[in-house]
């Protein structure tokens, strides 16, 4: 217990000093092991290697590269063109279009901030040109981007599956229904906010015409097929998630080069560079967290956490609510992947011991971290949309409050009704 208290104290101090997360995890673990006298260089190097020696991790950089290629290859713009045909003239039509375009792009990239960047770059200026306020435009883009980490493919789901030894395909399947519910809730919030603030639709958008809509869909058919190609290859059993991520890159190159003729060699280089940078960050954190997790296991942290929660209540719903509260607080200070990597090994034994389906818990974990993407001081989505819209982060943070309320309602709904998360994966043979 003394070692565990020591490592948590050191970790907190390093976080407060602004030391990078991976360095904080490694340094606090090594210092704690030195103090306890249990230091073994073999344990350190083996733990770091084991954390990196994971095949599913390859999916993350590939999905990031695919998403960037699709943005630069005009695929994202084509999707927006189709969605605007339906919702463009409504009150808050461009806000609704933003949310739904984020949901569509989420089925490609697997990243929250990446979704905000891709969709926000195109639609925030369009909303401002049509009379929407900068705050509204930035708020709806940053909120819609949260769907990027839930609707499959999802980078946090991949990490949770690796850490918890859970079927990643099953987790992907579990994200569909919650993802669509959250997309609907955010679109409805965008519509309500637009009506209250008097933001009408896009006046330049012609009234909906079925023939024009069908022609637009046919013209942009390769872009619209993208999520079906990627996810269909997974659920048909043709590809694993890692192989599907490579398919996504190949499809993005094909559509961008051959169909749209919108990609350049410079775009490909920048996409590969972004994928490499994100992969580097993830690998550093995963390797460090494996070492940190080894110490937690030695010190029986999961058992201590279980006893702590059970001393408060033995009701699994109460325990889940306590965990959600903990996640909301930590989400203000930790990045999503770091939160999952650090807490999943500790919390998963607690909830599974109470009979909670690990797939259901994974969805709760990811959905709660969607809220964290919008809460300062870390709130990554806020900073991305703030930079695109050229408005202060504080202004965007106030603007997302209605969307935060909608997300919290969705968190509670998903927590109290496990079938929302588990029905589809169980029906397809994943999980229990």
């Amino acid at each position: 217990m003394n070692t565990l208290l020591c490592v948590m104290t050191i970790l907190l101090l390093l976080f407060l000093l602004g030391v990078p997360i991976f360095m904080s995890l490694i340094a606090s673990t090594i210092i704690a092991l030195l103090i306890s006298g249990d230091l073994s260089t073999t344990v350190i190097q083996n733990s770091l290697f084991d954390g990196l020696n994971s095949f599913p991790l390859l999916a993350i950089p590939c999905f990031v590269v695919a998403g960037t290629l699709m943005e630069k290859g005009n695929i994202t713009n084509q999707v927006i063109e189709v969605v605007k045909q339906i919702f463009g003239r409504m009150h808050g039509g461009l806000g609704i279009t933003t949310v739904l375009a984020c949901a569509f792009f989420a089925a490609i990239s697997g990243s929250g901030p990446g979704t905000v960047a891709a969709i926000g770059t195109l639609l925030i200026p369009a909303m401002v040109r049509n009379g929407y306020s900068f705050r509204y435009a930035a708020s709806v883009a940053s909120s819609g981007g949260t769907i990027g980490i839930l609707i499959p493919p999802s980078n946090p789901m991949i990490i949770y599956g690796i850490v918890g030894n859970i079927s990643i395909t099953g987790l992907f399947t579990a994200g569909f229904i919650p993802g669509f519910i959250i997309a609907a809730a955010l679109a409805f919030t965008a519509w309500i906010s637009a009506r209250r603030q008097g933001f009408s639709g896009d006046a330049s958008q012609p009234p909906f015409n079925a023939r024009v809509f069908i022609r637009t869909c046919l013209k942009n058919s390769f872009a619209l097929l993208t999520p079906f190609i990627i996810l269909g290859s997974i659920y048909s059993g043709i590809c694993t998630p890692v192989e599907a991520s490579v398919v996504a890159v190949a499809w993005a190159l094909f559509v961008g080069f051959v169909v749209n003729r919108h990609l350049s060699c410079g775009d490909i280089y920048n996409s590969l560079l972004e994928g490499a940078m994100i992969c580097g960050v993830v690998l550093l954190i995963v390797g460090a967290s494996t070492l940190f997790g080894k110490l937690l296991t030695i010190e029986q942290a999961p058992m201590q956490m279980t006893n702590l929660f059970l001393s408060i209540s033995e009701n699994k719903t109460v325990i889940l609510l306590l965990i959600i509260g903990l996640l909301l607080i930590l989400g203000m200070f930790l990045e999503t992947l770091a939160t999952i990597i650090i807490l999943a090994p500790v919390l998963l034994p607690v909830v599974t011991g109470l009979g909670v389906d690990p797939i259901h818990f994974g969805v709760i974990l990811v959905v709660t971290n969607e809220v964290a993407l919008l809460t300062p001081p870390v709130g990554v989505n806020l900073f991305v949309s703030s930079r695109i819209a050229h408005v202060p982060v504080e202004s965007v943070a106030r603007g997302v409050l209605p969307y935060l309320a909608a997300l919290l309602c969705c968190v509670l709904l998903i927590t109290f009704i496990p079938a929302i998360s588990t029905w589809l994966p169980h029906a397809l043979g994943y999980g229990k």
Side-chain angles (χ1 to χ4, degrees):
M1 181 64 184
N2 290 334
T3 303
L4 187 60
L5 181 61
C6 173
V7 74
M8 297 309 293
T9 302
I10 295 170
L11 185 64
L12 179 60
L13 287 173
L14 292 174
F15 281 163
L16 292 174
L17 290 172
V19 178
I21 291 172
F22 80 95
M23 284 300 299
S24 299
L25 291 170
I26 293 175
S28 59
T29 304
I30 292 177
I31 292 171
L33 289 172
L34 280 170
I35 292 173
S36 67
D38 295 330
L39 178 65
S40 170
T41 55
T42 304
V43 170
I44 294 173
Q45 65 191 37
N46 287 347
S47 297
L48 291 172
F49 177 78
D50 289 342
L52 301 177
N53 188 28
S54 178
F55 181 68
L57 279 175
L58 291 174
I60 294 177
C62 289
F63 279 128
V64 171
V65 170
T68 308
L69 287 172
M70 289 173 191
E71 176 193 350
K72 296 180 184 300
N74 204 40
I75 294 176
T76 307
N77 214 359
Q78 291 176 327
V79 172
I80 291 171
E81 183 183 353
V82 172
V83 178
K84 279 179 68 176
Q85 293 266 326
I86 305 174
F87 299 101
R89 292 182 64 87
M90 294 175 57
H91 271 285
L94 286 177
I96 297 170
T97 299
T98 301
V99 172
L100 298 181
C102 284
F104 194 97
F105 191 80
I108 299 169
S109 74
S111 165
T115 302
V116 178
I119 304 301
T121 302
L122 298 170
L123 281 174
I124 287 177
M127 282 187 273
V128 172
R129 284 196 302 270
N130 281 272
Y132 294 75
S133 69
F134 283 96
R135 178 192 289 185
Y136 177 92
S139 301
V140 74
S142 57
S143 302
T146 62
I147 308 171
I149 67 170
L150 180 60
I151 291 181
S154 160
N155 293 341
M157 287 286 197
I158 294 171
I159 294 297
Y160 174 75
I162 293 170
V163 172
N165 194 27
I166 300 162
S167 166
I168 293 173
T169 305
L171 289 167
F172 279 5
T173 309
F176 274 113
I177 297 176
F180 293 145
I181 289 173
I182 290 174
L186 293 178
F188 180 72
T189 305
W191 178 72
I192 291 290
S193 297
R195 285 188 65 89
R196 287 181 175 175
Q197 298 176 57
F199 300 142
S200 58
D202 184 352
S204 65
Q205 184 70 33
F208 179 78
N209 182 294
R211 288 186 178 180
V212 174
F213 178 71
I214 292 172
R215 281 202 300 269
T216 305
C217 289
L218 290 174
K219 184 183 72 172
N220 301 321
S221 57
F222 282 93
L224 297 177
L225 279 173
T226 300
F228 299 100
I229 295 290
I230 298 169
L231 299 176
S233 66
I234 297 174
Y235 299 120
S236 64
I238 297 174
C239 298
T240 65
V242 174
E243 292 165 345
S245 69
V246 179
V247 169
V249 174
W251 180 257
L253 288 170
F254 169 72
V255 177
F257 259 130
V258 179
V259 180
N260 294 344
R261 299 181 182 180
H262 222 270
L263 275 179
S264 66
C265 292
D267 293 332
I268 295 175
Y269 172 79
N270 290 331
S271 300
L272 292 172
L273 183 62
E274 185 170 343
M277 290 174 64
I278 290 178
C279 181
V281 172
V282 171
L283 288 177
L284 285 171
I285 297 176
V286 170
S289 67
T290 306
L291 176 61
F292 184 73
K294 179 75 73 174
L295 177 66
L296 294 180
T297 303
I298 293 171
E299 295 299 320
Q300 298 183 328
M303 183 65 68
Q304 294 180 34
M305 185 67 75
T306 302
N307 294 335
L308 174 62
F309 280 126
L310 291 179
S311 67
I312 299 172
S313 172
E314 295 186 5
N315 185 299
K316 69 178 181 181
T317 303
V318 174
I319 300 297
L320 286 175
L321 291 175
L322 289 171
I323 291 173
I324 288 169
L326 174 65
L327 290 170
L328 291 175
I329 294 171
L330 290 178
M332 296 180 183
F333 307 99
L334 289 177
E335 193 269 341
T336 299
L337 294 182
T339 303
I340 292 174
I341 287 169
I342 294 171
L343 292 184
V346 179
L347 296 178
L348 193 54
V350 176
V351 296
T352 52
L354 293 170
V356 177
D357 190 309
I359 288 180
H360 178 216
F361 181 66
V363 174
I364 292 174
L365 197 59
V366 173
V367 173
T368 307
N369 273 287
E370 286 191 43
V371 179
L373 291 173
L374 300 177
T375 51
V378 171
V380 186
N381 283 16
L382 299 179
F383 289 94
V384 176
S385 63
S386 167
R387 187 173 68 249
I388 296 170
H390 305 290
V391 293
V393 173
E394 296 80 3
S395 178
V396 184
R398 289 193 295 272
V400 299
L401 290 177
Y403 302 95
L404 280 174
L407 279 173
L408 288 172
C409 289
C410 291
V411 169
L412 295 176
L413 181 68
I414 291 165
T415 302
F416 288 122
I417 308 178
I420 293 174
S421 308
T422 59
W423 175 78
L424 189 57
H426 291 176
L428 295 176
Y430 303 108
K432 293 182 180 178

